Each structure stands twice: as C-alpha cells, then as structure tokens.
Amino acid sequence: MSLDEHQIIQLPRIQDPRGNLTFVEGNRHVPFEIRRVFYLYDVPGGETRAGHALKTCWQMISAITGSFDVVLDDGSSRKMLHLNRAYQAILIPPAIWRELENFSSGAVCLVLASERYSEEGYYRTYEEYQRAVKA
C-alpha cells in the first residue's frame, strides 16, 4: 500500500442549535463492515500511541474531541495529518505504519476497524514492518 491510498472522509454533520450530530455507517461512510470500535482518551502530554501497522485491517480514525496528529508511513515516505474536527476522519488501508501524537488536553480518538483484534495481525516494530514492505 502507499500513502496515496489513505483518504480524508467528511462525515455527515447535522447542525442543530441544541448540538450537532455526526454518524458513521459501515459499508456506507467506511468501505467495510465495522467489526471493532475502540477509543483512546486521557493520553498524557507528550505520549505517542499506535506505533504499528496492521497487516490486513482497515481503520478509520477520528478526533471526536480535541485534536491530535496522525503520522502515516508506507515504508518509503511519511505524511502527517492533523485531526481536530469530529466530522472528519482518516481512512487508513492495511500495511500503513501509523503513529498518533501531540494529543490536546481532553482529546478522544475514535477508531473503527474492519477486523476484530488479533495480535497476529500487527507489525509491532518498525524494523519488522520495513522488512515486510520491502519483501
């Protein structure tokens, strides 16, 4: 996979004076059936999350509160994207290394995944990832 295959997704945003609403539907707003949902929160200042690549799993990542940076790497180039809108998300294909950093105070990162958790589905070190993408 290459960095050109990631997408910024504008999610539906229903504005209302009482508060806005955004929703996500599997196989509509993301090109997969949602098999797992998790969120990161209370990330201490200066900490980095993720630091891995997924072998076959797609993910959609959104900052539902606050902001953070997403660093994507395809083994030959890197790109940093800033998420700070609850109605925007990044769709990340398999085999892309990702790191999440620069979390604002109170940030919440929502992740939708195309597969259930499996430890065997990860490249956990950058060296292992580099060997796999160069093969």
Side-chain angles (χ1 to χ4, degrees):
M1 295 284 175
S2 83
L3 290 184
D4 296 334
E5 296 180 55
H6 84 279
Q7 297 175 26
I8 302 294
I9 298 173
Q10 299 295 324
L11 298 169
R13 181 170 56 155
I14 300 169
Q15 295 181 310
D16 186 298
R18 302 167 296 164
N20 299 332
L21 180 140
T22 290
F23 61 95
V24 179
E25 295 176 355
N27 293 317
R28 181 173 177 197
H29 303 109
V30 294
F32 55 80
E33 178 182 341
I34 299 166
R35 297 288 191 132
R36 185 163 64 111
V37 176
F38 62 93
Y39 47 97
L40 304 169
Y41 58 97
D42 293 341
V43 177
E47 287 297 321
T48 299
R49 294 298 311 246
H52 60 259
L54 297 160
K55 295 176 182 177
T56 60
C57 182
W58 286 77
Q59 287 188 334
M60 188 190 81
I61 298 176
S62 181
I64 58 174
T65 301
S67 66
F68 53 88
D69 296 330
V70 180
V71 180
L72 302 176
D73 184 323
D74 65 4
S76 59
S77 60
R78 292 173 70 87
K79 177 183 259 186
M80 185 179 71
L81 303 156
H82 185 70
L83 288 178
N84 63 353
R85 301 279 187 257
Y87 55 86
Q88 289 181 333
I90 299 173
L91 180 64
I92 305 174
I96 299 292
W97 186 265
R98 78 280 321 269
E99 297 172 5
L100 307 176
E101 57 189 27
N102 297 322
F103 284 80
S104 68
S105 178
V108 178
C109 170
L110 174 69
V111 182
L112 308 178
S114 67
E115 298 177 6
R116 290 187 172 95
Y117 175 81
S118 168
E119 182 58 35
E120 295 77 34
Y122 286 76
Y123 297 111
R124 290 290 186 184
T125 68
Y126 191 72
E127 293 74 23
E128 175 190 19
Y129 172 70
Q130 283 281 340
R131 285 192 301 273
V133 296
K134 302 264 190 230

